Amino acid sequence: MGTALVYHEDMTAARLLWEDPECEIECPQRLTAALEGLQQRGLEQRCLRLVAREASEAELGLVHSPEYVALLRGTQALGTQELQALSGQYDAVYFHPRTFHCARLAVGAALQLVDAVMTGAVRNGLALVRPPGHHSQRAAANGFCVFNSVAIAARHAKQKHGLHRVLIVDWDVHHGQGTQYIFEDDPSVLYFSWHRYEHRRFWPYLRESDADAVGQGQGLGFTVNLPWNQVGMGNADYMAAFLHVLLPLAFEFDPELVLVSAGFDSAIGDPEGQMQATPECFAHLTQLLQVLADGRVCAVLEGGYHLESLSQSVCMMVQALLGDPAPPLSGPMVPHGSALESIQSVRAAQAPYWMSLQQQGAAPVLSPSTCSPEGKPSPLLPWGPEFKAAATQTMAALSSLLDKLCLNPTPPVRTAVALTAPDAALVLPPGVLCQERSALPEEMQAWARPHKALAQDKALTALGKVLYLLDRLLDGQVSSGIAATPAPATAATLDVAIRCGLSHGAQRLLCVAVGQLDRPPDLTDDGRNLWLNIGGKEAAAPSTFHVCVPLPGTTGGFLNCVLALVLPLAYSFQPDLVLVALGPAHGLRDPQAALLTALLRGPAGGRVLALIDEESTPQLVGVLARVLHGEAPPSLGPFSMASPEDMQALMRLRGPLEPQWKMLQVAGEAGVGVVRLRVSA
Ligand code: X5A
Ligand code: ZN
């Protein structure tokens, strides 16, 4: 349904007019670099371009005090010296005669984006703005931020569009304390922020940025802080944060709109963040958010100071918003110990307020991470010699990544559907290909030979289409597909598909089989295939490559199974092809099948082949085609808590798998069954 890109070139007008090493990184080139990146990759052209308008003073008043707005209005007439003096009254802020205009455009852009999404003109979008907003408070500028665009957008969404629940995801590397203060006691806005913290030794050095700040009064549990206590956090850490903290809470909260404080100073190469997440990680984070709120995601630029890294990360996010598959994540999918400690702390701090975090064998609470030893903050000098050397390496890595992406362009066909018989009731989204072609008869016969179930004409015809589709997936012509098979042949077809996939180019193949489907008997644990069965028989000989889990009966149980088992396994395994098979009487409701399939686009760069029974309803085929094509899955319905039995089954399974599949971890080493003692001096 489309992606909006909101921009106005006037937002490049404000700039620093005096020497200030702290503020100089917030420069006009940030916007031009991001926009040029989007243009060069043909992404801007695929978006609905909207020219930003200025927010009205009434709109600014949704968050800011009239006195503060008047003060900012007055800055338009000030000389440089007066501007510098006024700037000095705030922490890390500079004013320019055009600041008021730019900041009003930034807010206006966010509001226009929300309006476009809420009226259904587009599905989602990005507002490319500066100055940023998330540090700004009711009556204060802070950290390059003047007006809090995202906070105003959240209030506007409630007031103008009658929303009751808005989720704000702040993935900027700094804590958006401004946003936190504004919604502290408001249960209608769930605010999630991760941020570089280093036990309070990083700007803005606040006690209330720690995991135990959870909101106040009615808003208890609606502020979620995930402090990073070391630099160098990467793809695995960010994904773990989403899978184990943000998404369980977000599904339980059930937002009607997702606003992203999209700062890219959390990406590799940034002098402020000094983190390691690569640009494609932001495509994955965006994809994960798109399964919420019917896909209504509005992103607003916050920080991001390494121009090349910023521009690539913005491109990745926009690609994901447009529905393109995300490139696979690079690097080892192993979260850092320090990240796991942080994840454990925030889960423990939030557990009293969220059903989805209860029952998870309440891990012992770690000692507070605010033990700022020897007091004083010691911010790293951003452009010291060490950092410069690291940044040079980073740049080399980034440009080779860019090459890789150019060599692996998005397949010409995003989704193909191969049915055994035409179905008039089936409505496919535009762009989805109906595949009639089949593998060559010799090839089909050769693969089918060992299987009695494939002797029938009907089964063989279906197999031919599966094999053809599989080949197009593996040679990069098609990104994802759906193939139907007659019921008695599903297991045999799946067996052939796995073997064929592995012999025709897949290095690692993940198979998620739902329902009564046995693992092919002579598949070996050679590390090249991972078999995950949901809702079938218990495995006689389970292993790290052969996992069987019962199908939970509640939405909470199902979500927990997907977020805490299926996706961590899938992302740890790093497959290059995913097979999803819905066996006979698989027991998934359509929205569950859609969510599972949508999320399994992540781990293998969008290469998913879904095998379904030919008797499946056209509704199921349609919804699977739409999610594989990049649309949002329908809602699962009201959240219901997982049953204790389902939780226990999951916990028992995860334990032995954790040493091999590190994305399953939700606690630091020291937190597993060990109570830490604190000895105070
Ligand atoms: C929006 C943003 C950072 C301020 C850093 C001050 N602000 N040292 O990234
Ligand atoms: Zn920032």
Side-chain angles (χ1 to χ4, degrees), residues 284-312:
H284 287 262
L285 300 178
T286 306
Q287 275 191 347
L288 289 175
L289 295 181
Q290 285 175 285
V291 300
L292 300 165
D294 215 1
R296 286 185 287 264
V297 174
C298 296
V300 181
L301 182 67
E302 300 277 1
Y305 307 102
H306 185 292
L307 299 183
E308 179 62 23
S309 174
L310 167 68
S311 145
Q312 287 196 33

PDB file of all heavy atoms in Angstrom, residues 284-312:
ATOM      1  N   HIS A 284      16.196  -5.498   9.451  1.00  0.00           N
ATOM      2  CA  HIS A 284      15.586  -6.559  10.267  1.00  0.00           C
ATOM      3  C   HIS A 284      14.757  -5.978  11.409  1.00  0.00           C
ATOM      4  O   HIS A 284      13.660  -6.455  11.687  1.00  0.00           O
ATOM      5  CB  HIS A 284      16.676  -7.496  10.804  1.00  0.00           C
ATOM      6  CG  HIS A 284      17.250  -8.378   9.739  1.00  0.00           C
ATOM      7  ND1 HIS A 284      16.846  -9.679   9.546  1.00  0.00           N
ATOM      8  CD2 HIS A 284      18.163  -8.124   8.768  1.00  0.00           C
ATOM      9  CE1 HIS A 284      17.502 -10.191   8.513  1.00  0.00           C
ATOM     10  NE2 HIS A 284      18.313  -9.267   8.031  1.00  0.00           N
ATOM     11  N   LEU A 285      15.278  -4.951  12.056  1.00  0.00           N
ATOM     12  CA  LEU A 285      14.524  -4.327  13.147  1.00  0.00           C
ATOM     13  C   LEU A 285      13.205  -3.770  12.600  1.00  0.00           C
ATOM     14  O   LEU A 285      12.138  -3.922  13.207  1.00  0.00           O
ATOM     15  CB  LEU A 285      15.346  -3.210  13.801  1.00  0.00           C
ATOM     16  CG  LEU A 285      16.695  -3.630  14.415  1.00  0.00           C
ATOM     17  CD1 LEU A 285      17.415  -2.403  14.981  1.00  0.00           C
ATOM     18  CD2 LEU A 285      16.507  -4.689  15.497  1.00  0.00           C
ATOM     19  N   THR A 286      13.279  -3.145  11.430  1.00  0.00           N
ATOM     20  CA  THR A 286      12.075  -2.582  10.816  1.00  0.00           C
ATOM     21  C   THR A 286      11.078  -3.681  10.483  1.00  0.00           C
ATOM     22  O   THR A 286       9.882  -3.555  10.763  1.00  0.00           O
ATOM     23  CB  THR A 286      12.463  -1.803   9.539  1.00  0.00           C
ATOM     24  OG1 THR A 286      13.464  -0.840   9.881  1.00  0.00           O
ATOM     25  CG2 THR A 286      11.268  -1.093   8.939  1.00  0.00           C
ATOM     26  N   GLN A 287      11.562  -4.767   9.900  1.00  0.00           N
ATOM     27  CA  GLN A 287      10.671  -5.904   9.582  1.00  0.00           C
ATOM     28  C   GLN A 287       9.983  -6.433  10.826  1.00  0.00           C
ATOM     29  O   GLN A 287       8.796  -6.757  10.797  1.00  0.00           O
ATOM     30  CB  GLN A 287      11.489  -7.047   8.980  1.00  0.00           C
ATOM     31  CG  GLN A 287      11.702  -6.918   7.501  1.00  0.00           C
ATOM     32  CD  GLN A 287      12.274  -8.205   6.914  1.00  0.00           C
ATOM     33  OE1 GLN A 287      12.737  -9.108   7.616  1.00  0.00           O
ATOM     34  NE2 GLN A 287      12.235  -8.286   5.595  1.00  0.00           N
ATOM     35  N   LEU A 288      10.747  -6.519  11.916  1.00  0.00           N
ATOM     36  CA  LEU A 288      10.145  -7.036  13.150  1.00  0.00           C
ATOM     37  C   LEU A 288       9.025  -6.107  13.622  1.00  0.00           C
ATOM     38  O   LEU A 288       7.986  -6.561  14.086  1.00  0.00           O
ATOM     39  CB  LEU A 288      11.211  -7.200  14.239  1.00  0.00           C
ATOM     40  CG  LEU A 288      12.219  -8.342  14.021  1.00  0.00           C
ATOM     41  CD1 LEU A 288      13.298  -8.318  15.106  1.00  0.00           C
ATOM     42  CD2 LEU A 288      11.519  -9.697  14.011  1.00  0.00           C
ATOM     43  N   LEU A 289       9.225  -4.798  13.490  1.00  0.00           N
ATOM     44  CA  LEU A 289       8.184  -3.861  13.936  1.00  0.00           C
ATOM     45  C   LEU A 289       6.958  -3.910  13.026  1.00  0.00           C
ATOM     46  O   LEU A 289       5.840  -3.621  13.467  1.00  0.00           O
ATOM     47  CB  LEU A 289       8.732  -2.434  13.976  1.00  0.00           C
ATOM     48  CG  LEU A 289       9.838  -2.181  14.993  1.00  0.00           C
ATOM     49  CD1 LEU A 289      10.264  -0.715  14.941  1.00  0.00           C
ATOM     50  CD2 LEU A 289       9.383  -2.562  16.398  1.00  0.00           C
ATOM     51  N   GLN A 290       7.163  -4.284  11.780  1.00  0.00           N
ATOM     52  CA  GLN A 290       6.044  -4.275  10.828  1.00  0.00           C
ATOM     53  C   GLN A 290       5.009  -5.365  11.079  1.00  0.00           C
ATOM     54  O   GLN A 290       3.952  -5.340  10.453  1.00  0.00           O
ATOM     55  CB  GLN A 290       6.578  -4.380   9.391  1.00  0.00           C
ATOM     56  CG  GLN A 290       7.187  -3.072   8.916  1.00  0.00           C
ATOM     57  CD  GLN A 290       7.814  -3.230   7.545  1.00  0.00           C
ATOM     58  OE1 GLN A 290       8.881  -3.806   7.394  1.00  0.00           O
ATOM     59  NE2 GLN A 290       7.152  -2.727   6.523  1.00  0.00           N
ATOM     60  N   VAL A 291       5.298  -6.310  11.970  1.00  0.00           N
ATOM     61  CA  VAL A 291       4.253  -7.297  12.292  1.00  0.00           C
ATOM     62  C   VAL A 291       3.314  -6.749  13.365  1.00  0.00           C
ATOM     63  O   VAL A 291       2.333  -7.392  13.725  1.00  0.00           O
ATOM     64  CB  VAL A 291       4.840  -8.663  12.734  1.00  0.00           C
ATOM     65  CG1 VAL A 291       5.704  -9.247  11.628  1.00  0.00           C
ATOM     66  CG2 VAL A 291       5.609  -8.557  14.037  1.00  0.00           C
ATOM     67  N   LEU A 292       3.593  -5.566  13.894  1.00  0.00           N
ATOM     68  CA  LEU A 292       2.722  -4.937  14.893  1.00  0.00           C
ATOM     69  C   LEU A 292       1.793  -3.946  14.206  1.00  0.00           C
ATOM     70  O   LEU A 292       2.083  -3.465  13.103  1.00  0.00           O
ATOM     71  CB  LEU A 292       3.577  -4.176  15.921  1.00  0.00           C
ATOM     72  CG  LEU A 292       4.587  -5.010  16.720  1.00  0.00           C
ATOM     73  CD1 LEU A 292       5.589  -4.080  17.407  1.00  0.00           C
ATOM     74  CD2 LEU A 292       3.880  -5.890  17.738  1.00  0.00           C
ATOM     75  N   ALA A 293       0.705  -3.602  14.888  1.00  0.00           N
ATOM     76  CA  ALA A 293      -0.149  -2.469  14.496  1.00  0.00           C
ATOM     77  C   ALA A 293      -0.549  -2.492  13.030  1.00  0.00           C
ATOM     78  O   ALA A 293      -0.664  -1.451  12.398  1.00  0.00           O
ATOM     79  CB  ALA A 293       0.560  -1.144  14.828  1.00  0.00           C
ATOM     80  N   ASP A 294      -0.747  -3.717  12.484  1.00  0.00           N
ATOM     81  CA  ASP A 294      -1.167  -3.819  11.102  1.00  0.00           C
ATOM     82  C   ASP A 294      -0.152  -3.164  10.158  1.00  0.00           C
ATOM     83  O   ASP A 294      -0.510  -2.676   9.091  1.00  0.00           O
ATOM     84  CB  ASP A 294      -2.540  -3.127  10.949  1.00  0.00           C
ATOM     85  CG  ASP A 294      -3.403  -3.844   9.932  1.00  0.00           C
ATOM     86  OD1 ASP A 294      -2.947  -4.860   9.381  1.00  0.00           O
ATOM     87  OD2 ASP A 294      -4.528  -3.374   9.693  1.00  0.00           O
ATOM     88  N   GLY A 295       1.098  -3.127  10.585  1.00  0.00           N
ATOM     89  CA  GLY A 295       2.152  -2.583   9.739  1.00  0.00           C
ATOM     90  C   GLY A 295       2.266  -1.072   9.744  1.00  0.00           C
ATOM     91  O   GLY A 295       3.061  -0.504   8.994  1.00  0.00           O
ATOM     92  N   ARG A 296       1.483  -0.405  10.611  1.00  0.00           N
ATOM     93  CA  ARG A 296       1.538   1.067  10.639  1.00  0.00           C
ATOM     94  C   ARG A 296       2.769   1.550  11.413  1.00  0.00           C
ATOM     95  O   ARG A 296       2.744   1.685  12.636  1.00  0.00           O
ATOM     96  CB  ARG A 296       0.255   1.634  11.247  1.00  0.00           C
ATOM     97  CG  ARG A 296      -0.935   1.544  10.289  1.00  0.00           C
ATOM     98  CD  ARG A 296      -2.171   2.214  10.863  1.00  0.00           C
ATOM     99  NE  ARG A 296      -2.740   1.404  11.934  1.00  0.00           N
ATOM    100  CZ  ARG A 296      -3.739   0.542  11.766  1.00  0.00           C
ATOM    101  NH1 ARG A 296      -4.312   0.400  10.584  1.00  0.00           N
ATOM    102  NH2 ARG A 296      -4.165  -0.161  12.781  1.00  0.00           N
ATOM    103  N   VAL A 297       3.855   1.756  10.685  1.00  0.00           N
ATOM    104  CA  VAL A 297       5.128   2.173  11.271  1.00  0.00           C
ATOM    105  C   VAL A 297       5.508   3.541  10.715  1.00  0.00           C
ATOM    106  O   VAL A 297       5.601   3.715   9.497  1.00  0.00           O
ATOM    107  CB  VAL A 297       6.248   1.152  10.943  1.00  0.00           C
ATOM    108  CG1 VAL A 297       7.604   1.661  11.425  1.00  0.00           C
ATOM    109  CG2 VAL A 297       5.931  -0.216  11.549  1.00  0.00           C
ATOM    110  N   CYS A 298       5.690   4.522  11.611  1.00  0.00           N
ATOM    111  CA  CYS A 298       6.137   5.860  11.208  1.00  0.00           C
ATOM    112  C   CYS A 298       7.491   6.115  11.834  1.00  0.00           C
ATOM    113  O   CYS A 298       7.604   6.195  13.057  1.00  0.00           O
ATOM    114  CB  CYS A 298       5.176   6.935  11.718  1.00  0.00           C
ATOM    115  SG  CYS A 298       3.534   6.833  11.016  1.00  0.00           S
ATOM    116  N   ALA A 299       8.501   6.240  11.003  1.00  0.00           N
ATOM    117  CA  ALA A 299       9.854   6.463  11.519  1.00  0.00           C
ATOM    118  C   ALA A 299      10.231   7.925  11.345  1.00  0.00           C
ATOM    119  O   ALA A 299       9.921   8.544  10.321  1.00  0.00           O
ATOM    120  CB  ALA A 299      10.843   5.572  10.789  1.00  0.00           C
ATOM    121  N   VAL A 300      10.886   8.470  12.354  1.00  0.00           N
ATOM    122  CA  VAL A 300      11.327   9.859  12.317  1.00  0.00           C
ATOM    123  C   VAL A 300      12.815   9.872  12.650  1.00  0.00           C
ATOM    124  O   VAL A 300      13.229   9.312  13.668  1.00  0.00           O
ATOM    125  CB  VAL A 300      10.539  10.710  13.341  1.00  0.00           C
ATOM    126  CG1 VAL A 300      10.979  12.164  13.275  1.00  0.00           C
ATOM    127  CG2 VAL A 300       9.034  10.584  13.099  1.00  0.00           C
ATOM    128  N   LEU A 301      13.607  10.484  11.795  1.00  0.00           N
ATOM    129  CA  LEU A 301      15.058  10.504  12.007  1.00  0.00           C
ATOM    130  C   LEU A 301      15.401  11.224  13.305  1.00  0.00           C
ATOM    131  O   LEU A 301      14.865  12.291  13.594  1.00  0.00           O
ATOM    132  CB  LEU A 301      15.750  11.184  10.826  1.00  0.00           C
ATOM    133  CG  LEU A 301      17.287  11.231  10.898  1.00  0.00           C
ATOM    134  CD1 LEU A 301      17.893   9.845  10.784  1.00  0.00           C
ATOM    135  CD2 LEU A 301      17.860  12.143   9.821  1.00  0.00           C
ATOM    136  N   GLU A 302      16.299  10.630  14.083  1.00  0.00           N
ATOM    137  CA  GLU A 302      16.863  11.329  15.257  1.00  0.00           C
ATOM    138  C   GLU A 302      18.355  11.540  14.986  1.00  0.00           C
ATOM    139  O   GLU A 302      18.695  12.312  14.109  1.00  0.00           O
ATOM    140  CB  GLU A 302      16.607  10.512  16.540  1.00  0.00           C
ATOM    141  CG  GLU A 302      15.120  10.279  16.842  1.00  0.00           C
ATOM    142  CD  GLU A 302      14.445  11.438  17.571  1.00  0.00           C
ATOM    143  OE1 GLU A 302      15.105  12.458  17.839  1.00  0.00           O
ATOM    144  OE2 GLU A 302      13.225  11.343  17.866  1.00  0.00           O
ATOM    145  N   GLY A 303      19.246  10.821  15.690  1.00  0.00           N
ATOM    146  CA  GLY A 303      20.685  11.014  15.494  1.00  0.00           C
ATOM    147  C   GLY A 303      21.236  10.196  14.332  1.00  0.00           C
ATOM    148  O   GLY A 303      20.492   9.614  13.541  1.00  0.00           O
ATOM    149  N   GLY A 304      22.594  10.124  14.280  1.00  0.00           N
ATOM    150  CA  GLY A 304      23.275   9.424  13.186  1.00  0.00           C
ATOM    151  C   GLY A 304      24.289  10.367  12.577  1.00  0.00           C
ATOM    152  O   GLY A 304      23.905  11.296  11.874  1.00  0.00           O
ATOM    153  N   TYR A 305      25.582  10.157  12.889  1.00  0.00           N
ATOM    154  CA  TYR A 305      26.585  11.187  12.600  1.00  0.00           C
ATOM    155  C   TYR A 305      27.720  10.725  11.705  1.00  0.00           C
ATOM    156  O   TYR A 305      28.604  11.493  11.372  1.00  0.00           O
ATOM    157  CB  TYR A 305      27.114  11.751  13.931  1.00  0.00           C
ATOM    158  CG  TYR A 305      25.955  12.198  14.786  1.00  0.00           C
ATOM    159  CD1 TYR A 305      25.483  11.418  15.845  1.00  0.00           C
ATOM    160  CD2 TYR A 305      25.256  13.364  14.473  1.00  0.00           C
ATOM    161  CE1 TYR A 305      24.372  11.802  16.586  1.00  0.00           C
ATOM    162  CE2 TYR A 305      24.138  13.752  15.208  1.00  0.00           C
ATOM    163  CZ  TYR A 305      23.702  12.963  16.258  1.00  0.00           C
ATOM    164  OH  TYR A 305      22.592  13.344  16.965  1.00  0.00           O
ATOM    165  N   HIS A 306      27.714   9.438  11.336  1.00  0.00           N
ATOM    166  CA  HIS A 306      28.689   8.954  10.351  1.00  0.00           C
ATOM    167  C   HIS A 306      27.940   8.919   9.032  1.00  0.00           C
ATOM    168  O   HIS A 306      27.048   8.090   8.829  1.00  0.00           O
ATOM    169  CB  HIS A 306      29.174   7.563  10.761  1.00  0.00           C
ATOM    170  CG  HIS A 306      30.257   7.021   9.876  1.00  0.00           C
ATOM    171  ND1 HIS A 306      30.037   6.675   8.564  1.00  0.00           N
ATOM    172  CD2 HIS A 306      31.562   6.774  10.115  1.00  0.00           C
ATOM    173  CE1 HIS A 306      31.171   6.225   8.040  1.00  0.00           C
ATOM    174  NE2 HIS A 306      32.097   6.275   8.961  1.00  0.00           N
ATOM    175  N   LEU A 307      28.291   9.848   8.119  1.00  0.00           N
ATOM    176  CA  LEU A 307      27.417  10.084   6.973  1.00  0.00           C
ATOM    177  C   LEU A 307      27.169   8.826   6.144  1.00  0.00           C
ATOM    178  O   LEU A 307      26.042   8.551   5.737  1.00  0.00           O
ATOM    179  CB  LEU A 307      27.970  11.220   6.110  1.00  0.00           C
ATOM    180  CG  LEU A 307      28.087  12.581   6.811  1.00  0.00           C
ATOM    181  CD1 LEU A 307      28.586  13.640   5.842  1.00  0.00           C
ATOM    182  CD2 LEU A 307      26.772  13.005   7.457  1.00  0.00           C
ATOM    183  N   GLU A 308      28.235   8.048   5.887  1.00  0.00           N
ATOM    184  CA  GLU A 308      28.081   6.849   5.056  1.00  0.00           C
ATOM    185  C   GLU A 308      27.241   5.781   5.770  1.00  0.00           C
ATOM    186  O   GLU A 308      26.345   5.171   5.192  1.00  0.00           O
ATOM    187  CB  GLU A 308      29.479   6.299   4.712  1.00  0.00           C
ATOM    188  CG  GLU A 308      29.492   5.040   3.869  1.00  0.00           C
ATOM    189  CD  GLU A 308      28.855   5.205   2.490  1.00  0.00           C
ATOM    190  OE1 GLU A 308      28.787   6.343   1.984  1.00  0.00           O
ATOM    191  OE2 GLU A 308      28.402   4.176   1.941  1.00  0.00           O
ATOM    192  N   SER A 309      27.537   5.588   7.044  1.00  0.00           N
ATOM    193  CA  SER A 309      26.789   4.600   7.823  1.00  0.00           C
ATOM    194  C   SER A 309      25.322   5.018   7.951  1.00  0.00           C
ATOM    195  O   SER A 309      24.404   4.206   7.780  1.00  0.00           O
ATOM    196  CB  SER A 309      27.443   4.469   9.203  1.00  0.00           C
ATOM    197  OG  SER A 309      26.683   3.626  10.025  1.00  0.00           O
ATOM    198  N   LEU A 310      25.111   6.308   8.211  1.00  0.00           N
ATOM    199  CA  LEU A 310      23.753   6.857   8.308  1.00  0.00           C
ATOM    200  C   LEU A 310      22.984   6.598   7.020  1.00  0.00           C
ATOM    201  O   LEU A 310      21.857   6.092   7.038  1.00  0.00           O
ATOM    202  CB  LEU A 310      23.833   8.364   8.592  1.00  0.00           C
ATOM    203  CG  LEU A 310      22.534   9.154   8.416  1.00  0.00           C
ATOM    204  CD1 LEU A 310      21.523   8.768   9.483  1.00  0.00           C
ATOM    205  CD2 LEU A 310      22.798  10.670   8.468  1.00  0.00           C
ATOM    206  N   SER A 311      23.614   6.933   5.891  1.00  0.00           N
ATOM    207  CA  SER A 311      22.918   6.832   4.623  1.00  0.00           C
ATOM    208  C   SER A 311      22.587   5.368   4.293  1.00  0.00           C
ATOM    209  O   SER A 311      21.473   5.046   3.855  1.00  0.00           O
ATOM    210  CB  SER A 311      23.770   7.517   3.558  1.00  0.00           C
ATOM    211  OG  SER A 311      23.668   6.871   2.337  1.00  0.00           O
ATOM    212  N   GLN A 312      23.534   4.467   4.536  1.00  0.00           N
ATOM    213  CA  GLN A 312      23.247   3.046   4.268  1.00  0.00           C
ATOM    214  C   GLN A 312      22.157   2.501   5.186  1.00  0.00           C
ATOM    215  O   GLN A 312      21.298   1.726   4.758  1.00  0.00           O
ATOM    216  CB  GLN A 312      24.512   2.209   4.462  1.00  0.00           C
ATOM    217  CG  GLN A 312      25.527   2.405   3.359  1.00  0.00           C
ATOM    218  CD  GLN A 312      26.564   1.295   3.377  1.00  0.00           C
ATOM    219  OE1 GLN A 312      26.275   0.158   3.711  1.00  0.00           O
ATOM    220  NE2 GLN A 312      27.789   1.652   3.028  1.00  0.00           N
TER     221      GLN A 312
END
